[in-house]
Amino acid sequence: RMPSCLLKLTRVVLSHKPWALFILIFVFVSFAYHKLYWGIWEDPRSRGPPYSLSAEISCAHSVPSSLNIAGGPTPSTANVFFVETSEQTTPSYLFSCSVESAARAHPASRVVVLMKGLAKENVSLPKHWAFSLLSCFPNVEIRPLDLTELFSGTPLAQWYLQPQRHREPHFFPVLSDACRIALMWKFGGIYLDTDFIVLKNLQNLTNSLGIQDEKELNGAFLSFNPKHEFMELCMQDFVLNYNAWVWGHQGPALLTRVFKKWCSLRTIKSMSCKGVSALAPEVVYPIPWQDWKKLFEAISALELHSLLKNTYAVHVWNKLSHETKLEIPSQALLAQLYSQFCPATYAKMKQD
């Protein structure tokens, strides 16, 4: 309905006053611009991604020129997925660094962050510096995690709907284990835990997972084509051999069991078997979990280069390291990784 001021102006125009026509056109154009700017004429159901990222942080220094802001990511490359299965909606520095480093290393891929704590009916994110910072990257999408929808059509659907499931002792890690294998089977692409710092593009590591030590594989990094049989076997094993009371039984131990059967192995070793590769520890787990304190020790530029020569990403083992104070700036290995591979997050850390 046209505002009353416009109706009055219309009457003036009809009285044949020439300047009034110009004023009417000017006011109408201004009114239309205001409406379009605030999205009042837009159908909320056609707004694209369910969450919009507002850039409250200056992006000029944050986004490399290799990211085509105008065109956005091309759909032909695999997605990179991160998952937050708790209700947490206040990302840490490490969370921000993980997503930023992945976005920088994969400028032609969508980096999709799925968060259980985000309500589906909302269209804007909570106000937090990390969301604002990540809005600088046109290939980053932050979406709500719908677990029922994710598990539908998989062997995990019935498992998830069991009553009292959330009261199990390791529920959140187990839920995360379930999400990653469901994502890889349904959509394919790359899955990363939110305590990884990505150094290089991971797209050429297709149908692979990493060895964390001589005994076990780890699922903090996964890269698979959609509907891959190996991931299907992982989902089946998840349900058939379910044990919520043993830490890691549904995660590293599951992947190790399935890979041993897949390749008819007794012990884990770096190899490719029937199209699935077990990557050597230095590829994505260059710092063993037992040596996590090395991340906080000073290291020279030469040592850093040598350590990361064959490394694509560094797992920070946040479960073990999260309470350790990191000096910023410093020559600590972790501080240097922040500085080089997530400089926008690092700048925020220094500021704080």
Side-chain angles (χ1 to χ4, degrees):
R1 183 178 296 177
M2 192 175 293
S4 58
C5 62
L6 293 182
L7 289 172
K8 291 177 181 178
L9 281 169
T10 303
R11 294 192 192 102
V12 172
V13 171
L14 293 175
S15 67
H16 304 291
K17 293 188 177 181
W19 279 101
L21 178 60
F22 172 79
I23 295 171
L24 175 60
I25 293 171
F26 177 80
V27 173
F28 180 80
V29 170
S30 300
F31 175 74
Y33 174 81
H34 182 270
K35 290 286 190 179
L36 286 169
Y37 183 81
W38 292 107
I40 297 173
W41 286 353
E42 183 182 21
D43 183 349
R45 293 170 295 181
S46 63
R47 287 180 179 174
Y51 279 82
S52 59
L53 299 169
S54 60
E56 297 172 1
I57 291 178
S58 173
C59 299
H61 70 286
S62 307
V63 184
S65 59
S66 60
L67 283 177
N68 180 4
I69 298 177
T74 58
S76 59
T77 54
N79 292 337
V80 180
F81 291 101
F82 292 93
V83 175
E84 176 57 68
T85 53
S86 74
E87 300 294 330
Q88 181 66 253
T89 57
T90 54
S92 65
Y93 294 119
L94 182 53
F95 184 112
S96 175
C97 181
S98 296
V99 179
E100 179 188 346
S101 63
R104 289 179 180 276
H106 303 85
S109 302
R110 289 196 307 162
V111 178
V112 183
V113 183
L114 300 170
M115 302 186 74
K116 186 173 180 287
L118 298 179
K120 290 203 314 183
E121 60 272 13
N122 289 349
V123 293
S124 60
L125 287 163
K127 286 188 178 297
H128 190 273
W129 66 264
F131 295 134
S132 180
L133 184 151
L134 294 173
S135 72
C136 295
F137 298 89
N139 54 338
V140 171
E141 296 181 12
I142 299 179
R143 295 175 172 271
L145 173 62
D146 186 330
L147 292 166
T148 303
E149 181 181 347
L150 174 61
F151 295 140
S152 67
T154 78
L156 301 171
Q158 288 294 89
W159 163 81
Y160 177 65
L161 294 175
Q162 291 296 315
Q164 310 301 318
R165 184 67 71 202
H166 65 283
R167 295 189 178 181
E168 294 173 349
H170 308 301
F171 174 67
F172 285 121
V174 169
L175 183 59
S176 178
D177 292 330
C179 286
R180 67 193 69 186
I181 59 178
L183 277 169
M184 289 296 94
W185 184 78
K186 270 195 163 182
F187 306 108
I190 296 164
Y191 167 84
L192 291 168
D193 275 0
T194 55
D195 57 350
F196 256 110
I197 299 179
V198 182
L199 282 54
K200 301 173 186 174
N201 191 293
L202 300 162
Q203 294 287 2
N204 64 333
L205 303 180
T206 309
N207 298 330
S208 62
L209 62 172
I211 298 174
Q212 71 171 20
D213 56 42
E214 68 275 4
K215 296 181 180 179
E216 214 164 34
L217 296 163
N218 194 305
F221 157 81
L222 295 170
S223 177
F224 281 87
N225 291 328
K227 304 298 189 292
H228 197 285
E229 185 185 354
F230 185 85
M231 283 292 106
E232 186 174 5
L233 291 173
C234 287
M235 290 191 295
Q236 292 172 1
D237 186 284
F238 188 101
V239 176
L240 291 173
N241 298 307
Y242 188 72
N243 187 337
W245 301 92
V246 178
W247 172 264
H249 184 80
Q250 304 303 120
L254 179 151
L255 294 166
T256 303
R257 291 193 302 270
V258 175
F259 188 76
K260 284 181 176 179
K261 292 178 182 177
W262 181 265
C263 296
S264 301
L265 295 174
R266 290 195 172 196
T267 57
I268 292 297
K269 59 183 178 180
S270 177
M271 64 178 296
S272 181
C273 172
K274 294 195 287 186
V276 177
S277 298
L279 304 174
E282 62 264 23
V283 179
V284 288
Y285 304 111
I287 307 297
W289 67 266
Q290 300 92 330
D291 299 330
W292 65 267
K293 290 183 180 179
K294 286 185 177 180
L295 290 160
F296 298 86
E297 297 173 1
I299 188 171
S300 70
L302 186 62
E303 289 175 305
L304 178 64
H305 176 76
S306 177
L307 175 66
L308 305 179
K309 186 178 179 182
N310 299 313
T311 299
Y312 283 72
V314 177
H315 194 219
V316 178
W317 308 107
N318 187 54
K319 181 175 173 59
L320 300 169
S321 65
H322 70 277
E323 292 184 352
T324 305
K325 184 178 180 181
L326 177 65
E327 294 293 335
I328 296 291
S330 73
Q331 291 301 111
L333 170 57
L334 184 54
Q336 294 195 56
L337 292 175
Y338 272 105
S339 175
Q340 291 187 39
F341 300 103
C342 55
T345 301
Y346 184 70
K348 175 63 176 172
M349 293 171 75
K350 288 197 296 182
Q351 176 187 317
D352 291 348

